[in-house]
Amino acid sequence: MKATPLALLTAAMSLSQGVYAADFVFLDEDVLKHNRQVLQSDKASDNMRQAYQRLIEEADIAMKQAPFSVTNKGMTPPSGSKNDYLSISPYWWPDETKADGLPWIRHDGKTNPASKTNETDSKRIGKFTRSTRAIALAYYFSQDEAYAKQGIEFIRTWFINEKTKMNPNVNYGQGVPGRADGRRSGIIDTRTLADRLLDAIAILSQSKHWTDNDEKQIKQWYSDYLDWMLEADLAGGPKGEAAAPNNHGTWYDYQIAGISYFLGNEHLTKVMVQKGKMRVDTQFAADGSQPHEIARTRAYHYHYFSLVPLVGIAELGEKVNVDLWNYQNDQGGSLEKGISLMASYHDAQKPWPYSQKDKRRRVERMTSVYLKAGESLNKPEWIKLAQDTDFSQFTVNKNLAEIWEQRDIELLLQKQ
């Protein structure tokens, strides 16, 4: 199906009432409650206890951070307001053949260090969202209100306080000197505002430190941001991020689906899950490979990175009665085949048939996908693949992505 801008806007206007921040979006609170009880008993496995200790380690590091704000960056956006988010596209570099280096040129897969400094917001938004998520989860499993108090202060600083809050737009995301102040691809920077934060906010809203004003203001911010995502030329416009054919477009859909569900707009969530069928149509070959991602210099990474949001959309589909898991396109491609392809290369020693600029395939990053899909598609071999993955060699200081996958397996996604 093809979702028109008019259909999306009409859906957005039908915002229902009665859904609170305490309602989870991607996580299942029954699973969390059960695992918290197990963790506090003598039935917790060694792996479960290790995942919890690593969570506390990450959260305690985050507790030492000052609240994050977009106004702390060195550069000022073209708008003149530091409250506007600003980042530089990571794969663009000065043209060495030009005296001033302008306009910058693209080197896919080669990250420009200038895009990852405190002068802009891309590193900051990553640290903010991962720190807040860790603190919120530590609060949930420990019930220590000190975590909640700090996490809520992080939320207020980034979203609510007038002097420090981010304006609800990405007008200046992934700009390229000499080419554009902001580009549609910049919207992928803000995926973590949905991916990491919606359920973190749900957890923090259970604290005694969460106020009615916090509830009102956070819902207002996300509502304003959703409006911008639907209406801005860079976002929901006919040439905006919504039209991106690769993982960028899927991450856009994921944000819209998650945020609309968070706000109580299940109709718009359903529209975006239906749109997921179009993503399967245009992104998967019959063997499960993804041609748009094969073209990249880090094809394994981008196959994984494209599957994550589509799996998240399929999970939301279960809540709004749209089955994306079992959808198959005319060529025989499907989400199931896409995951199956990756599972066949879970052995990092097995040669990957496409480009692989990374020194090592980080196969552990697929484990939560295997677990989610294994349960929804009745694939016990995928569940076992996730459960049998060895996370013991990883550390919080060096391997956060892998630590998060272990956390998903042991604490967040299945009853232990």
Side-chain angles (χ1 to χ4, degrees):
M1 67 159 295
K2 183 177 181 181
T4 66
L6 179 59
L8 295 178
L9 289 172
T10 301
M13 292 170 65
S14 65
L15 182 65
S16 62
Q17 302 298 317
V19 175
Y20 299 94
D23 290 311
F24 285 73
V25 179
F26 298 107
L27 296 177
D28 184 331
E29 190 171 14
D30 287 339
V31 173
L32 297 185
K33 283 182 178 179
H34 174 84
N35 288 347
R36 184 170 64 190
Q37 291 173 352
V38 172
L39 193 60
Q40 295 169 351
S41 72
D42 58 1
K43 298 179 181 179
S45 68
D46 290 342
N47 287 339
M48 188 182 194
R49 293 189 186 282
Q50 182 183 62
Y52 174 69
Q53 290 303 320
R54 287 171 165 178
L55 166 61
I56 296 301
E57 181 182 350
E58 183 188 355
D60 287 347
I61 292 171
M63 289 284 284
K64 298 175 183 177
Q65 302 290 321
F68 302 88
S69 168
V70 290
T71 61
N72 291 338
K73 59 180 167 285
M75 296 176 63
T76 300
S79 64
S81 172
K82 286 193 175 183
N83 294 90
D84 285 325
Y85 179 89
L86 174 71
S87 66
I88 296 174
S89 194
Y91 297 151
W92 290 77
W93 294 73
D95 185 345
E96 294 181 355
T97 68
K98 307 287 181 61
D100 60 1
L102 300 176
W104 283 18
I105 56 178
R106 190 170 187 266
H107 296 289
D108 186 36
K110 182 181 179 182
T111 301
N112 185 341
S115 69
K116 304 295 182 183
T117 73
N118 286 328
E119 291 295 300
T120 65
D121 291 315
S122 61
K123 278 185 62 178
R124 186 171 292 103
I125 198 171
K127 288 182 179 179
F128 159 61
T129 54
R130 77 188 188 212
S131 297
T132 305
R133 176 179 61 177
I135 287 172
L137 289 171
Y139 165 59
Y140 188 88
F141 285 102
S142 72
Q143 294 293 282
D144 184 343
E145 286 287 342
Y147 288 120
K149 186 176 181 180
Q150 179 85 327
I152 292 169
E153 185 59 30
F154 281 6
I155 294 295
R156 289 171 180 162
T157 301
W158 190 275
F159 292 110
I160 297 174
N161 297 343
E162 285 297 325
K163 291 184 178 180
T164 60
K165 71 179 184 180
M166 172 184 164
N167 289 333
N169 70 71
V170 199
N171 289 322
Y172 308 108
Q174 292 201 14
V176 176
R179 294 185 182 271
D181 291 334
R183 301 161 64 241
R184 73 181 192 183
S185 58
I187 292 169
I188 205 166
D189 289 8
T190 54
R191 69 189 184 278
T192 56
L193 298 182
D195 183 36
R196 297 175 183 174
L197 284 194
L198 296 179
D199 287 326
I201 292 169
I203 290 170
L204 293 172
S205 71
Q206 298 177 3
S207 167
K208 65 182 181 181
H209 297 291
W210 186 261
T211 69
D212 289 344
N213 185 60
D214 293 328
E215 179 76 21
K216 176 183 177 181
Q217 293 299 326
I218 198 65
K219 287 297 182 69
Q220 186 63 57
W221 193 96
Y222 272 101
S223 180
D224 291 342
Y225 178 63
L226 181 62
D227 287 346
W228 183 89
M229 288 280 281
L230 291 170
E231 299 171 1
D233 288 342
L234 287 175
K239 295 183 179 181
E241 189 76 337
N246 62 357
N247 68 82
H248 276 260
T250 312
W251 276 112
Y252 170 89
D253 296 348
Y254 176 93
Q255 287 195 59
I256 300 297
I259 293 170
S260 59
Y261 191 86
F262 176 76
L263 293 173
N265 188 343
E266 291 192 13
H267 182 76
L268 179 53
T269 304
K270 184 176 289 190
V271 169
M272 300 314 294
V273 179
Q274 289 285 6
K275 187 182 175 185
K277 297 177 181 179
M278 178 273 284
R279 296 297 177 191
V280 174
D281 288 342
T282 59
Q283 294 184 8
F284 290 89
D287 65 353
S289 63
Q290 301 177 56
H292 293 297
E293 312 308 338
I294 287 174
R296 307 296 296 273
T297 61
R298 303 169 63 210
Y300 181 87
H301 166 79
Y302 281 107
H303 272 68
Y304 146 78
F305 192 61
S306 180
L307 283 168
V308 169
L310 197 57
V311 164
I313 293 169
E315 288 183 294
L316 286 173
E318 295 179 22
K319 295 186 175 185
V320 296
N321 299 314
V322 179
D323 183 9
L324 183 58
W325 289 113
N326 293 290
Y327 177 77
Q328 182 171 290
N329 64 32
D330 291 341
Q331 293 74 43
S334 64
L335 181 54
E336 178 180 347
K337 287 187 177 179
I339 297 168
S340 181
L341 173 73
M342 299 296 279
S344 69
Y345 290 97
H346 192 64
D347 181 355
Q349 302 305 313
K350 182 178 180 180
W352 169 249
Y354 309 114
S355 63
Q356 183 184 320
K357 189 173 182 180
D358 301 305
K359 292 181 180 179
R360 174 185 177 275
R361 292 205 313 275
R362 300 175 69 178
V363 296
E364 297 82 9
R365 298 184 73 175
M366 275 291 297
T367 50
S368 61
V369 170
Y370 298 142
L371 182 59
K372 295 172 185 177
E375 292 181 341
S376 295
L377 290 168
N378 191 25
K379 296 282 188 179
E381 67 273 22
W382 290 355
I383 297 174
K384 187 175 188 301
L385 192 65
Q387 293 172 334
D388 290 350
T389 299
D390 181 11
F391 295 98
S392 61
Q393 72 271 33
F394 300 115
T395 67
V396 170
N397 288 329
K398 293 183 178 180
N399 313 104
L400 266 181
E402 287 78 10
I403 296 298
W404 295 339
E405 292 299 311
Q406 182 193 34
R407 183 182 306 162
D408 284 348
I409 302 301
E410 300 294 337
L411 297 176
L412 306 184
L413 298 180
Q414 63 175 351
K415 290 184 177 180
Q416 299 295 339

